[in-house]
Amino acid sequence: MAGIEWRRICCPVDFSEPARAGLAVAADLSRRLGCELVLLRTDAGSRVSDELPPAALQGAALGSWRDEAARLGAARVTLAHAAGPPEVGTVEFAAAEGVDLIVMGTHGRVDREHMLTGSVAESVVRTAPCMVLTVRPAAPAAARAAAG
């Protein structure tokens, strides 16, 4: 992609396995391109997740994700917080902070609820002011073998 210069990659973090997969790709891109990786935590809004640690632990958890990004070779890692639900906070942060690329994990669900309401990743893809790369966690080897 000639002419594209990515200086700032944003990786939204909700402490889930899909977010961990997104972190691995975002850290690798940061390393390869020598650009900043921003780990973004948004307020959960009205959404409740069993994967989300209590608020008192989120700062420490985000710090451990920063350490993981550094271990994976990210060039420079910073932490940020955005108000609002993830699909809104991520897009507003990207617009306000000059993000060049959003790398985010997705569950890849296709159930009825997601068909009606959409997913966070889908909403970000539709409304982001920059490119968005979605990453699904790798399927276990047994599931890949059964599908192939």
Side-chain angles (χ1 to χ4, degrees):
M1 297 171 121
I4 295 177
E5 183 179 334
W6 288 329
R7 297 172 313 280
R8 199 162 205 213
I9 297 173
C10 176
C11 180
V13 174
D14 67 0
F15 310 107
S16 66
E17 278 306 307
R20 190 171 299 283
L23 173 68
V25 171
D28 184 57
L29 285 170
S30 170
R31 178 185 59 77
R32 290 172 189 249
L33 301 170
C35 63
E36 177 185 12
L37 172 57
V38 180
L39 301 182
L40 178 66
R41 177 73 196 117
T42 57
D43 293 332
S46 61
R47 295 173 187 242
V48 177
S49 170
D50 294 335
E51 299 169 9
L52 190 64
L57 299 177
Q58 288 181 24
L62 195 54
S64 71
W65 281 58
R66 178 189 54 219
D67 296 344
E68 177 69 8
R71 187 188 70 70
L72 292 168
R76 186 173 80 241
V77 183
T78 57
L79 304 178
H81 180 266
E87 62 273 19
V88 174
T90 300
V91 169
E92 289 178 352
F93 178 85
E97 299 296 326
V99 168
D100 301 301
L101 174 67
I102 298 169
V103 178
M104 64 187 306
T106 180
H107 289 276
R109 293 184 181 133
V110 292
D111 60 21
R112 180 179 291 241
E113 177 185 352
H114 286 86
M115 288 173 62
L116 297 174
T117 63
S119 69
V120 171
E122 180 184 356
S123 178
V124 170
V125 166
R126 281 182 299 168
T127 60
C130 60
M131 292 184 209
V132 180
L133 173 62
T134 59
V135 180
R136 287 177 52 177
R144 286 194 308 268

